[in-house]
Amino acid sequence: MPIALWLGLLGANLVLPGAPSPVSWSPDGRWLAYVQEIRPVRLPITPGWLFRVEAKEAVVDRAVLDATRPASLYRLWATKPDTGESVMLAESRGPLTSACWSRDGTGLAFGRLVRGSDSTAQWETVIQDSPDRQRVVHREPVTGPEPSADKIQTLTLAWSPDGRILAAPKLQPPGLLLLRATDGRVERSLDGALHPRWAPNDSRLAYVQAGRERGVYLLDIRQESRRLTDFAPESDRLPAPVWSRDGQSLLILRRTLGSPSPDQKGTRSELQLVKSRADNGQTELAVNLVHDPIGREGTLLGSWFTLDPDGDDLFYATAMPDQRQAQITWSYQARPEEVHKRLNPYDESGILAALAACPGSRGLAFRVGERGIWSPPAVCDPDSERVLLLAPDDASRMEWVGRLLETMLLILRDQLPDPALVDGTPVERPSLLPSPGELEPGDPIWLRLGRLSRMGLQIVGPSSPDKDELRLAFAYFARDYPAAIASVESLLTRADSADQRLRLLSVRAQIDLMRRDFDHARPLIDYLAKASVGPSHEIVETVARPRLRKLSDPRSGWPGFLSQKLDALKKPVIEQPEEPAARNVLELNGARPQEIVAPGAPF
């Protein structure tokens, strides 16, 4: 069974607005099981959004992903990332837990909240024996307040190595039930227990205990439980323990308070990976995982880590408020204090969570989260950082597109400089798309937008009138010039005003500059200069008589701006020797531009 660990939120004072449901690889590494929330996605924002430069703030503030409304549906999917084949195993109006695989990979188990027509609710434990066969092995009525979707997403199940016993969450009182997988008979009830993990090859079960006797406990189903550790001050947020491959030790993630750093006063939050012996709880190893200062007590929002079940790889990620750059740290189980690589397969602005290493390959699954919404999962190759977005249906595809679009708009709003002529005169660009020369080719902004856009082209689907602006933006930043030109031509056929047509022709001129087609760009820029809005005037009252005063119009300066960029691009480039220390920010942090893998392409 693949070992994938999801750690609940650790912050003492701050909490993330909704936690991501874990994802789970099948034992053979071919299938990935995950829960998807169905939420409203405003796409496109409004027609013409790409050309509303004067309302850039408003475009972003009206988020395309609606986090204010709860999910209307929950779907459990199993997807083969190498082919894109997907099977929807369950659909529910009530929240679902993540699913866990049986050791032989023939079944999946999960929990779900089922609401009746008479406002009653039941909690069910379900086993999926095949794509078209489910059986409910246990039910309990919900007599008190319904648990929130966020709470249910933190509940996990675990299947014993021989497939006979299923450790499943119960709601009232909260805890775990040990159920016979064949008929649902309750073998044992553990009040206050959560996050179960079976030993690799025997009947020992590790779990987290909540309440006054909090800690990590070990249970042999033929004996009574015994406490191994009493870590974590908040037992319901203690990470699930992970067994070593030989079954002799448990790996546990705990939060501690470190010493002040030179630039911070007071204590700091730190994460430690602790290795404890399963026979006596003795600590064999305690290593700080976070290598950079993460702030004062209470500022750590969450952390997730996963171990490669067939190798030595260890991956972890942390979430902090005002985090400048999200990243995944790649280390080794034998030497967790050493950093092999830091990577960001999505973008530095998004929280990376729900990590799951694939058995038998270097695939790493993850989710991206922000503003209380967690995307469908993606899979990356940590070596090349190539990414495959999983989108089994239109709802997940549009959610990915919405997340990519919102991330790009925030980058453009916050980091794109305002254009100006050589003499400093401000000009207004006709669209949100920067022209060549505004940013250096290796600028991190271009690299980030290019990476996100290549993902967007992978997922947006075929061209259509309602997607032309979206495809134009993705193709432009991905430097897919034929696709960008096709989108411009399609939009021109539906342009209903002279202003809209001129804006589209300006974008076409920018594309010609990007692909260095100066012979086509020059006459187009000259035409834009003649057709653009001329100078306007205002009447100014003076003592002698009224006078006309010329007003500058930022829109009329864009053709001149493009002409200056064309002249600069045509100048011969004098190559300068590169200084060894001149590296861009993304490279310094272990990230680099990556190719996007189309469904079906092997890593």
Side-chain angles (χ1 to χ4, degrees):
M1 188 180 216
I3 303 174
L5 173 63
W6 178 81
L7 170 60
L9 309 177
L10 297 174
N13 302 316
L14 301 171
V15 294
L16 287 171
S21 177
V23 298
S24 179
W25 289 99
S26 60
D28 60 8
R30 297 176 61 203
W31 292 87
L32 188 69
Y34 55 95
V35 173
Q36 173 201 355
E37 295 180 331
I38 308 300
R39 293 178 182 270
V41 178
R42 302 187 186 104
L43 188 67
I45 302 174
T46 54
W49 63 267
L50 188 59
F51 305 95
R52 292 176 57 211
V53 292
E54 76 287 350
K56 193 163 51 172
E57 296 267 350
V59 170
V60 180
D61 289 342
R62 186 171 183 259
V64 294
L65 295 172
D66 191 352
T68 62
R69 296 170 60 184
S72 58
L73 281 176
Y74 299 84
R75 291 172 179 162
L76 173 61
W77 291 94
T79 296
K80 293 178 72 173
D82 60 341
T83 65
E85 178 185 354
S86 295
V87 179
M88 187 171 68
L89 302 175
E91 183 177 69
S92 171
R93 294 194 176 276
L96 304 173
T97 71
S98 59
C100 75
W101 294 87
S102 61
R103 187 63 61 90
D104 60 6
T106 60
L108 277 167
F110 60 95
R112 67 185 176 193
L113 185 68
V114 180
R115 300 185 178 100
S117 57
D118 55 354
S119 300
T120 61
Q122 286 190 324
W123 178 251
E124 296 182 344
T125 300
V126 183
I127 291 179
Q128 189 95 28
D129 292 312
S130 66
D132 56 356
R133 183 172 181 267
Q134 281 183 1
R135 51 191 175 94
V136 177
V137 295
H138 187 265
R139 285 190 178 94
E140 66 171 284
V142 179
T143 56
E146 284 188 11
S148 67
D150 293 345
K151 177 64 178 178
I152 289 176
Q153 286 182 346
T154 67
L155 303 177
T156 54
L157 299 83
W159 223 314
S160 64
D162 59 9
R164 294 179 55 252
I165 304 297
L166 184 66
K170 64 188 184 79
L171 299 185
Q172 295 167 342
L176 291 173
L177 295 175
L178 302 188
L179 306 173
R180 285 205 312 206
T182 53
D183 57 11
R185 176 180 171 179
V186 178
E187 296 286 342
R188 185 170 294 193
S189 178
L190 303 170
D191 292 348
L194 66 158
H195 297 322
R197 289 291 186 271
W198 292 94
N201 298 306
D202 55 47
S203 59
R204 291 174 299 163
L205 177 72
Y207 62 90
V208 174
Q209 179 70 40
R212 297 177 60 184
E213 301 298 324
R214 60 179 178 259
V216 176
Y217 281 69
L218 191 63
L219 167 70
D220 190 312
I221 59 175
R222 296 164 296 189
Q223 303 173 7
E224 292 301 315
S225 300
R226 57 186 176 88
R227 184 163 64 176
L228 289 181
T229 75
D230 57 357
F231 293 154
E234 297 173 83
S235 56
D236 63 328
R237 296 174 183 179
L238 189 70
V242 174
W243 287 91
S244 60
R245 283 194 293 272
D246 59 8
Q248 301 302 307
S249 303
L250 285 163
L251 297 176
I252 305 164
L253 197 63
R254 70 172 178 180
R255 179 183 164 198
T256 62
L257 298 179
S259 303
S261 62
D263 58 342
Q264 291 176 328
K265 298 179 180 179
T267 54
R268 302 187 289 127
S269 297
E270 290 182 347
L271 285 180
Q272 280 190 339
L273 180 66
V274 179
K275 185 177 182 181
S276 296
R277 289 186 57 85
D279 54 358
N280 57 18
Q282 181 179 353
T283 298
E284 295 182 323
L285 177 71
V287 177
N288 289 340
L289 288 185
V290 179
H291 299 267
D292 299 321
I294 59 174
R296 298 182 296 276
E297 178 181 359
T299 60
L300 177 62
L301 298 180
S303 184
W304 299 264
F305 84 90
T306 181
L307 306 176
D308 176 6
D310 299 322
D312 189 41
D313 294 329
L314 163 67
F315 301 94
Y316 67 89
T318 56
M320 296 165 280
D322 302 322
Q323 188 167 354
R324 289 191 302 171
Q325 187 179 60
Q327 60 189 2
I328 296 172
T329 300
W330 179 2
S331 185
Y332 298 109
Q333 299 178 41
R335 305 179 303 281
E337 71 281 1
E338 297 180 11
V339 175
H340 171 66
K341 181 182 180 181
R342 291 182 178 175
L343 61 145
N344 193 314
Y346 178 73
D347 183 73
E348 64 187 49
S349 63
I351 296 173
L352 305 176
L355 309 182
C358 178
S361 76
R362 278 285 172 82
L364 177 66
F366 64 94
R367 291 185 190 264
V368 180
E370 192 178 14
R371 297 190 181 187
I373 299 178
W374 298 92
S375 67
V379 179
C380 78
D381 173 7
D383 284 311
S384 65
E385 298 181 43
R386 294 181 297 177
V387 176
L388 174 64
L389 308 183
L390 302 188
D393 60 1
D394 287 340
S396 56
R397 184 176 299 108
M398 288 300 99
E399 188 159 327
W400 265 123
V401 169
R403 175 164 301 284
L404 292 164
L405 175 60
E406 190 163 14
T407 304
M408 293 172 64
L409 287 175
L410 287 168
I411 295 173
L412 290 170
R413 184 194 69 180
D414 297 338
Q415 302 195 37
L416 187 64
D418 293 327
L421 298 175
V422 173
D423 62 4
T425 303
V427 298
E428 180 184 292
R429 59 171 55 87
S431 71
L432 296 175
L433 306 175
S435 76
E438 288 190 77
L439 300 169
E440 295 300 321
D443 190 288
I445 298 176
W446 272 113
L447 299 180
R448 292 172 64 188
L449 292 170
R451 176 193 305 140
L452 294 165
S453 296
R454 288 190 292 274
M455 296 182 197
L457 289 176
Q458 174 197 143
I459 208 75
V460 70
S463 179
S464 62
D466 62 328
K467 295 178 184 177
D468 278 336
E469 283 184 70
L470 197 59
R471 289 187 63 85
L472 172 56
F474 287 154
Y476 186 87
F477 288 114
R479 300 180 184 271
D480 186 343
Y481 304 131
I485 292 173
S487 296
V488 169
E489 296 298 332
S490 178
L491 288 166
L492 278 170
T493 62
R494 301 192 304 277
D496 56 6
S497 68
D499 178 73
Q500 186 179 7
R501 181 175 177 81
L502 290 175
R503 290 177 185 271
L504 286 165
L505 291 176
S506 295
V507 173
R508 174 58 199 267
Q510 292 175 216
I511 296 171
D512 289 334
L513 291 180
M514 290 179 67
R515 62 179 187 161
R516 307 186 73 82
D517 186 355
F518 303 133
D519 292 338
H520 191 276
R522 173 57 74 186
L524 188 52
I525 294 173
D526 292 342
Y527 170 79
L528 290 170
K530 295 178 181 178
S532 295
V533 178
S536 56
H537 298 77
E538 68 175 353
I539 299 176
V540 180
E541 295 290 343
T542 65
V543 176
R545 63 180 184 275
R547 294 179 179 275
L548 287 177
R549 183 170 65 186
K550 183 178 178 180
L551 297 176
S552 61
D553 189 334
R555 291 176 297 174
S556 63
W558 186 253
F561 181 78
L562 291 181
S563 181
Q564 290 179 357
K565 297 304 177 186
L566 186 152
D567 293 338
L569 290 171
K570 290 181 70 175
K571 291 180 180 179
V573 178
I574 301 175
E575 295 188 3
Q576 299 290 338
E578 232 181 82
E579 297 182 15
R583 302 175 63 195
N584 67 57
V585 175
L586 290 179
E587 289 175 339
L588 288 173
N589 287 277
R592 60 178 183 270
Q594 74 268 17
E595 299 176 5
I596 304 302
V597 185
F603 286 133

